[in-house]
Amino acid sequence: MTHATGMKYMKPGVLPHMWCAGCGIGGMMGALLRAFEELGYRNTDTVVVTGIGCTGKLDDYLLTNALHTTHGRALAYATGIKAFKPQLKVVVVMGDGDSVTIGGNHFIHAARRNIDLTAIVLNNLNYGMTGGQVSGTTPEWAVTSTTVHGNPEREFDICALAETAGANFVARSTPYLGWEMKEIMKQALEKRGFSLVEVVSPCPTHFGRNNDMKETAAMLRWLGGRALPIEDYRKLPQAERKQHFPVGTLVDRDEPDFNTRYDTIRARATGMNVR
Ligand SMILES: Cc1ncc(C[n+]2csc(CCOP(=O)(O)OP(=O)(O)O)c2C)c(N)n1
Ligand code: SF4
């Protein structure tokens, strides 16, 4: 019996990768490439768009079509690709800074358009690449290099944001749950419309070190203890929910995506011109 390795999507000779030991980005990439393989994706019709940051370095390793864009703008580039080449599978891989902090506006509008993209957001709760600064998803209490006595701001719930803005598919996972992440990614990749997988992930180098979880195992245990299957999370009293985040498929609906709406309008407009 053979198992998907995802290696056929990787450039030869690029390992070892640049991420710190214990970082969750490598595992997320492994899950994504295995998902591609199990779904039979071809390099030629798959585009991986990234932004900037540790997570944004992912495209360096790939043989698929890949586009390394600017910080916070990956979804804008991806929207252009999908709008004009709808036959391509477009996957956008971003950090929490890229997607919902500097890039928050693009995130809201990509979900609102329900454009047929798969967004994978690696939420490591801080700006990893630039030294562990506070981001829009840093928990309220957390210490970072720019909130040394604790964070006075409240954090974004990325999944709730995507749901409210209109995404067809919203899910959350964490490397603590192993290959479940790959199965969720497969669902997201096959879903028409805007789909989001948030991967809540360890950054032992900054977030862990700043918050008494210097060892990766401690960060993974902490994430594992906070993650609750959505069915169990819903049973919790409101006051206890703050200690946890729900994992699994949170939203799965079938609203028309951007290209379907656009094609309908174009057909109508063309018909009107002919008359
Ligand atoms: C417009 C712009 N602002 C700021 C930066 C500097 N910068 C590079 S990476 C980064 C943080 C990345 O954080 P995140 O998106 O969460 O990704 P991570 O490194 O944690 O994976 C910042 C602020 C930049 N490159 N471009
Ligand atoms: S700094 Fe953090 S996010 Fe960046 S590679 Fe290291 S552990 Fe990963």
Side-chain angles (χ1 to χ4, degrees):
M1 189 172 161
T2 57
H3 294 281
T5 61
M7 288 305 286
K8 66 186 205 183
Y9 302 96
M10 285 190 80
K11 290 177 189 162
V14 286
L15 294 176
H17 55 62
M18 52 88 55
W19 298 300
C20 307
C23 178
I25 300 172
M28 177 271 285
M29 179 171 76
L32 182 65
L33 300 189
R34 284 172 173 87
F36 284 176
E37 188 170 332
E38 290 181 12
L39 293 171
Y41 282 19
R42 294 187 312 175
N43 284 330
T44 44
D45 25 71
T46 307
V47 189
V48 176
V49 183
T50 62
I52 301 291
C54 297
T55 309
K57 292 294 284 177
L58 186 138
D59 64 280
D60 281 3
Y61 302 98
L62 302 185
L63 283 171
T64 63
N65 296 293
L67 188 64
H68 189 58
T69 68
T70 48
H71 197 31
R73 308 288 178 250
L75 280 166
Y77 288 89
T79 296
I81 296 169
K82 190 68 194 186
F84 292 98
K85 291 274 184 199
Q87 69 276 22
L88 294 174
K89 276 276 164 203
V90 185
V91 182
V92 192
V93 183
M94 300 164 284
D96 46 276
D98 242 342
S99 56
V100 296
T101 313
I102 187 171
N105 196 40
H106 295 295
F107 186 87
I108 291 168
H109 292 288
R112 176 182 67 83
R113 290 188 186 107
N114 201 23
I115 189 153
D116 186 25
L117 304 173
T118 302
I120 310 286
V121 175
L122 190 293
N123 180 9
N124 56 23
L125 312 169
N126 68 180
Y127 283 1
M129 176 162 270
T130 41
Q133 294 88 351
V134 70
S135 101
T137 63
T138 303
E140 211 174 327
W141 46 266
V143 171
T144 69
S145 60
T146 46
T147 57
V148 291
H149 299 293
N151 176 20
E153 297 181 0
R154 292 174 298 174
E155 70 267 33
F156 259 140
D157 177 332
I158 303 177
C159 289
L161 185 63
E163 177 177 6
T164 306
N168 258 359
F169 183 87
V170 178
R172 188 187 278 116
S173 192
T174 167
Y176 184 83
L177 300 172
W179 292 127
E180 191 184 300
M181 193 166 33
K182 179 193 70 181
E183 297 304 323
I184 280 182
M185 285 175 178
K186 281 163 66 180
Q187 286 180 50
L189 288 163
E190 289 299 276
K191 184 76 189 181
R192 189 159 179 142
F194 189 81
S195 57
L196 164 75
V197 180
E198 178 190 355
V199 178
V200 192
S201 186
C203 170
T205 302
H206 298 301
F207 189 87
R209 188 164 51 92
N210 284 327
N211 292 283
D212 296 327
M213 293 177 283
K214 209 170 170 181
E215 305 301 327
T216 304
M219 259 218 92
L220 278 176
R221 269 197 304 275
W222 176 69
L223 290 174
R226 291 190 71 203
L228 272 189
I230 177 67
E231 305 76 30
D232 298 340
Y233 180 85
R234 286 197 181 119
K235 290 181 199 145
L236 285 182
Q238 204 65 33
E240 282 177 43
R241 290 190 179 187
K242 257 191 143 359
Q243 315 306 321
H244 295 279
F245 54 80
V247 290
T249 301
L250 311 183
V251 177
D252 189 354
R253 55 193 172 196
D254 291 303
E255 296 295 321
D257 67 311
F258 172 82
N259 286 82
T260 304
R261 291 176 198 267
Y262 184 79
D263 287 347
T264 306
I265 291 168
R266 187 166 55 183
R268 205 164 56 213
T270 311
M272 280 164 66
N273 287 341
V274 168
R275 260 184 270 136

